[in-house]
C-alpha cells in the first residue's frame, strides 16, 4: 500500500525506477525474501509474468534484452532461486545481452551467519555477471538501479545481479527518482572510417561477418544498403542469423556449426574481413581454426562496442570501438571504389547460399526436419519469430530456415539447452499478435518444459515444434564418433508429448510424416492455445548429411579425424 507522506518502501522505489527506465515487463518466481518488491508491482505499469522455474524466468529476461537492446528484468528469490537463474545469467554473459536480475537476500542484520538460503552474491556471480552488487540502503536504490541499467547496456552488454536484503526492501525513506536512462551509442572516429574506406578500396576479396549484440532493425537495414553499394558478401556468425535478410542478394550464409564448405572457402580466401559486433568465438571461428591467433592472415577490421574485446583474441589490422548501431549508420558515409575489384562476388556467394539451403537433404525416417524448415520459411507470416534451443535439431534451422528480419530468430550462442521455450514465451509476451514458433529437441524441451504452464496461464499461444528422436542426439553423435557402439546415458524414455500439452491445458498433436505438418500447424493455430506439435524423428537422422550408423561405421573403421560434425 503506497503512503502519501512522501516516503516509499525500498520495494516501491525499486519498481518505480524500473518503470522510469522503460522496463515494461518483468519475469519472476516469487519468494518471501522480496515480498515488498512484489507488492510494489500493484498499480505500476510493469507487467509481471510469474514463471515455474527461475531458469525459465531468467532466459525470458535475457531474450527480451537480446531483442530489444534494453535490459530484460528478472526477480528471483535468494539461494536456490538465484542458483536456478544462473543458466540465464550465463547466457546473457556469453551472448552479450543486457539483463538485470534482482535477487532476494536475508535481512541485513543476519548477513554473514549463513542464514536461511543466504549467499554472497558478489562472490557467487562475480565471474558470470558483468556486475554483481547488493543494496544496503533504500535511499541508494535510484543510484544503483540507474547504474545497473547503464552497466548492462554500455560497452559490451551483459547481466547485472542485484541482491536485495529483505528488510531494506520494506524500509521507508523519502528519496528522489533517477531520470530515465538511454543506452550510449559508441561512434567510430572519422579517422577510423577513412582508414576503413582505404582498406576497402585496396581490397581484392573483402567479406563482412555480422554478429554480437547492440543491433536494431534500422542498423540491419543500413548494413544491407552498405553491402549492396559495395557488392559485399555478408555472412552471419553463430545463431545471429537475424542480422541479415537471408534473401538479400548479398547474403552469403550462416557461419556457425557445419557451415557451407563454399562459405568457409570464401572466408579463407578473403583478404579483408570486416567483423562487425561479434567476437568470432569458438563456434563461428570453427574452433579457432579460421584465423591465426593473434595475427589473422587476412586484414581484419574488428568493430566491437566493448573496448576490452578488441585485441583480446585477434590482433585486428584496424580495431574500431563502436556499437553496431552507430557504426552501421556511419557506413552511409563511405564510397565504393569506381571499379569494384570483387564485382560479382556477392552474387556468387548468395547463389552458393541459396543452393546450400534450397532443398532439404534426404534423411532416414518419415519426418524430414529440413522439409519442415522449408515449409516454415514458405508459410509463416513475414513477421513471425522462431526461437530455438540447443541440440542437433538446430542444425536444420541454421541450414534451411531463412531469417528475413531483425529478431526473427532468437537462440543462445552459448548453446544452452532449454532456451527455446522461455525465449518463445518472452517473444509472445512482447509481441502478442505475432506468430511465435519454438523449435526444440526432446532433451532440450524438457529442460524448461514445465514453463509450458506459464504459456497456458498467461494465454500465450506459441507453438512448439518438438523434434522427438528419443536421444540426446548431439551427445550420441559425439559418443559414436569417439566411442563407437558404446552407448551410455544418451537414450531418452520420453513422455507422451501430446498428452503432456493437453494435461497442461494446451493443444497437442503428433506428426508422423512430413506431409501431415501443414494440417497439424493449422489445427494448432485454430486452437488458439499454446501448442506442442511433436515431430517423430528417426534417431538415425542425426545431421542433414550424416546418420548415426554411418558415423559409427566410420569410427569403427578407424577413419578418425574430424567428421564435419560439431557441438550443439
Ligand atoms: C544446459 C545444457 N546441458 C547440457 C548440454 C550438453 N548438450 C548439448 S546438446 C545435448 C543433447 C540435445 O538433445 P536434444 O534436445 O534431444 O536434441 P538432439 O541433439 O537429439 O536433436 C546435450 C545434452 C547443453 N548444451 N546445455
Ligand atoms: Mg533428441
Amino acid at each position: 500500500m503506497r503512503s502519501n507522506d512522501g516516503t516509499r518502501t525500498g520495494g516501491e522505489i525499486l519498481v518505480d525506477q524500473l518503470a522510469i527506465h522503460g522496463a515494461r515487463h518483468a519475469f519472476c518466481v516469487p519468494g518471501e525474501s522480496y515480498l515488498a518488491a512484489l507488492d510494489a508491482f500493484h498499480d505500476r505499469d510493469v507487467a509481471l509474468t510469474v514463471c515455474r522455474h527461475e531458469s525459465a524466468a531468467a532466459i525470458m529476461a535475457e531474450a527480451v534484452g537480446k531483442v530489444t537492446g534494453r535490459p530484460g528484468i528478472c526477480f528471483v528469490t535468494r539461494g536456490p532461486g538465484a542458483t536456478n537463474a544462473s543458466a540465464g545469467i550465463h547466457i546473457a554473459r556469453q551472448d552479450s545481452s543486457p539483463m538485470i536480475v534482482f535477487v532476494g537476500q536475508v535481512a541485513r542484520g543476519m548477513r554473514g551467519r549463513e542464514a536461511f538460503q543466504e549467499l554472497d552474491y558478489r562472490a557467487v556471480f562475480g565471474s558470470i555477471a558483468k556486475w554483481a552488487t547488493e543494496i544496503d540502503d533504500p535511499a541508494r536504490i535510484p543510484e544503483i538501479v540507474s547504474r545497473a541499467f547503464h552497466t548492462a547496456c554500455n560497452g559490451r552488454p551483459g547481466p547485472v545481479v542485484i541482491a536485495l536484503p529483505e528488510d531494506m526492501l520494506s524500509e521507508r525513506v523519502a528519496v528522489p527518482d533517477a531520470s530515465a536512462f538511454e543506452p550510449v551509442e559508441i561512434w567510430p572516429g572519422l579517422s577510423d572510417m577513412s582508414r576503413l574506406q582505404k582498406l576497402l578500396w585496396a581490397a581484392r576479396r573483402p567479406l563482412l561477418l555480422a554478429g554480437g549484440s547492440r543491433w536494431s532493425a534500422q542498423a540491419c537495414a543500413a548494413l544491407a544498403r552498405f553491402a549492396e553499394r559495395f557488392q559485399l558478401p555478408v555472412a552471419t556468425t553463430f545463431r545471429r542469423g537475424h542480422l541479415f535478410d537471408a534473401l538479400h542478394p548479398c547474403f552469403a550464409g550462416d557461419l556457425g556449426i557445419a557451415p557451407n564448405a563454399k562459405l568457409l572457402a570464401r572466408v579463407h580466401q578473403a583478404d579483408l574481413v570486416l567483423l562487425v559486433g561479434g567476437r568470432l568465438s569458438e563456434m563461428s571461428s570453427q574452433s579457432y581454426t579460421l584465423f591465426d591467433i593473434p595475427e589473422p592472415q587476412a586484414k581484419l577490421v574488428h568493430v566491437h562496442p566493448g573496448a576490452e574485446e578488441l585485441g583480446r583474441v585477434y590482433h585486428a589490422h584496424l580495431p574500431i570501438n563502436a556499437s553496431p548501431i552507430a557504426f552501421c549508420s556511419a557506413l552511409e558515409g563511405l564510397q565504393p571504389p569506381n571499379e569494384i575489384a570483387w564485382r560479382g562476388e556477392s552474387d556468387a556467394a548468395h547463389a552458393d547460399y541459396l543452393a546450400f539451403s534450397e532443398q532439404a537433404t534426404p534423411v532416414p525416417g518419415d519426418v524430414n526436419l529440413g522439409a519442415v524448415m522449408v515449409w516454415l520459411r514458405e508459410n509463416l507470416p513475414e513477421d513471425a519469430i522462431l526461437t530455438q534451443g540447443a541440440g542437433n535439431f538446430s542444425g536444420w534451422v541454421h541450414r534451411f530456415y531463412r531469417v528475413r528480419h531483425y529478431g526473427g530468430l532468437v537462440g543462445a550462442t552459448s548453446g544452452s539447452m532449454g532456451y527455446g521455450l522461455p525465449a518463445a514465451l518472452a517473444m509472445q509476451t512482447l509481441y502478442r499478435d505475432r506468430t511465435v514458433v519454438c523449435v526444440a529437441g526432446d532433451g532440450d524441451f524438457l529442460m524448461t518444459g514445465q514453463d509450458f504452464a506459464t504459456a497456458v496461464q498467461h494465454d500465450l499461444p506459441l507453438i512448439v515444434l518438438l523434434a522427438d528422436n528419443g536421444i540426446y542426439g548431439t551427445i550420441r553423435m559425439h559418443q559414436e564418433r569417439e566411442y563407437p557402439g558404446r552407448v551410455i546415458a544418451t537414450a531418452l524414455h520420453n513422455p507422451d508429448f501430446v498428452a503432456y500439452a493437453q494435461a497442461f491445458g494446451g493443444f497437442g498433436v503428433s506428426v508422423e510424416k512430413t506431409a501431415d505438418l501443414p494440417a497439424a500447424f493449422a489445427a494448432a493455430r485454430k486452437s488458439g492455445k499454446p501448442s506442442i506439435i511433436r515431430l517423430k524423428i528417426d534417431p538415425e537422422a542425426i545431421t542433414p548429411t550424416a546418420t548415426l550408423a554411418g558415423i559409427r561405421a566410420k569410427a569403427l573403421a578407424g577413419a578418425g579425424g574430424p567428421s564435419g560434425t560439431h557441438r550443439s
Side-chain angles (χ1 to χ4, degrees), residues 59-73:
I59 290 172
M60 290 181 217
E62 188 277 342
V64 167
K66 178 173 271 158
V67 169
T68 65
R70 302 182 72 94
I73 307 293

Side-chain angles (χ1 to χ4, degrees), residues 474-493:
T474 308
I475 313 306
R476 174 71 65 84
M477 173 182 77
H478 289 289
Q479 205 161 55
E480 293 289 5
R481 207 179 49 202
E482 309 288 334
Y483 303 94
R486 292 174 60 82
V487 171
I488 187 164
T490 49
L492 296 173
H493 183 92

Side-chain angles (χ1 to χ4, degrees), residues 279-289 314 566-567:
R279 296 186 296 124
L280 211 67
S281 56
E282 185 183 340
M283 292 300 164
S284 302
S285 69
Q286 314 298 306
S287 301
Y288 296 108
T289 62
Y314 305 100
H566 294 263
R567 277 180 279 277

Side-chain angles (χ1 to χ4, degrees), residues 342-425:
W342 57 90
R343 180 172 293 282
E345 259 303 294
S346 51
D347 284 346
H350 188 55
D352 287 344
Y353 161 71
L354 289 178
F356 184 66
S357 61
E358 190 59 27
Q359 264 188 359
T361 49
V363 292
D366 293 333
V367 179
N368 183 330
L369 262 184
V372 170
M373 293 306 133
V374 170
W375 185 85
L376 288 176
R377 80 186 188 209
E378 285 170 0
N379 289 281
L380 288 185
E382 205 146 275
D383 63 352
I385 299 171
L386 218 71
T387 70
Q388 58 170 20
N392 266 32
F393 66 90
S394 71
W396 280 271
V397 180
H398 297 140
R399 177 157 173 182
F400 297 107
Y401 188 69
R402 289 176 175 162
V403 198
R404 303 297 313 278
H405 61 90
Y406 177 76
L409 180 63
V410 186
T413 71
S414 73
S416 194
M417 288 168 74
Y419 186 83
L421 178 68
L425 282 156

Side-chain angles (χ1 to χ4, degrees), residues 394-468:
S394 71
W396 280 271
V397 180
H398 297 140
R399 177 157 173 182
F400 297 107
Y401 188 69
R402 289 176 175 162
V403 198
R404 303 297 313 278
H405 61 90
Y406 177 76
L409 180 63
V410 186
T413 71
S414 73
S416 194
M417 288 168 74
Y419 186 83
L421 178 68
L425 282 156
M427 292 305 104
Q428 194 80 83
T429 302
L430 288 183
Y431 309 108
R432 287 265 163 184
D433 298 331
R434 285 161 71 168
T435 302
V436 177
V437 177
C438 159
V439 185
D442 45 354
D444 170 62
F445 175 79
L446 277 185
M447 286 221 175
T448 48
Q450 74 289 323
D451 271 82
F452 192 69
T454 304
V456 173
Q457 180 165 344
H458 294 272
D459 201 16
L460 301 168
L462 52 88
I463 296 178
V464 181
L465 287 177
L466 202 159
D468 181 359

Side-chain angles (χ1 to χ4, degrees), residues 28-259:
C28 79
V29 174
E32 70 275 32
S33 57
Y34 69 95
L35 281 178
L38 279 175
D39 186 70
F41 277 94
H42 283 293
D43 310 321
R44 278 292 165 280
D45 197 16
V46 184
L48 190 58
T49 301
V50 59
C51 308
R52 299 306 176 109
H53 195 290
E54 290 86 354
S55 71
I59 290 172
M60 290 181 217
E62 188 277 342
V64 167
K66 178 173 271 158
V67 169
T68 65
R70 302 182 72 94
I73 307 293
C74 174
F75 278 79
V76 298
T77 198
R78 54 201 174 187
T83 50
N84 274 353
S86 59
I89 298 172
H90 177 251
I91 297 167
R93 175 165 190 111
Q94 287 235 310
D95 287 36
S96 310
S97 306
M99 89 189 276
I100 306 176
V101 180
F102 293 98
V103 187
Q105 172 63 305
V106 302
R108 287 168 289 188
M110 297 180 184
R111 279 180 307 193
R113 294 177 183 158
E114 199 180 338
F116 184 60
Q117 302 179 337
E118 180 182 356
L119 281 178
D120 174 348
Y121 296 99
R122 289 188 179 96
V124 171
F125 292 109
S127 68
I128 311 184
K130 195 172 168 190
W131 182 41
T133 192
E134 189 157 319
I135 304 182
D136 282 329
D137 176 358
R140 292 192 64 187
I141 291 175
E143 169 198 345
I144 292 169
V145 173
S146 168
R147 178 173 164 192
F149 273 82
H150 285 91
T151 303
C153 289
N154 286 346
R156 177 182 167 190
V160 170
V161 175
I162 302 183
L164 307 166
E166 196 177 330
D167 60 326
M168 184 282 295
L169 283 176
S170 51
E171 186 182 330
R172 286 191 167 280
V173 289
V175 63
D177 291 325
S179 54
F181 112 105
E182 272 308 318
V184 181
E185 290 310 335
I186 308 164
W187 291 88
L190 281 179
S191 63
D192 292 332
M193 296 312 281
S194 68
R195 283 182 69 194
L196 174 57
Q197 169 96 62
K198 285 200 186 96
L199 286 172
L200 279 164
W201 281 48
R204 312 298 302 173
R205 298 202 62 165
L207 181 127
L208 192 145
L209 299 175
S213 62
R214 301 203 63 172
W215 289 85
S216 65
Q218 290 78 1
C220 293
L223 180 66
R225 283 194 297 276
F226 166 72
E228 236 164 88
R229 291 194 297 121
F230 280 75
Q231 298 184 28
L232 209 56
V234 176
T236 48
T237 61
F238 181 53
R239 296 216 167 117
R240 301 291 189 182
H242 71 134
L243 297 179
F244 209 79
D245 176 358
L247 291 185
H248 186 282
C250 294
F251 187 58
D254 186 61
L255 188 65
I257 296 171

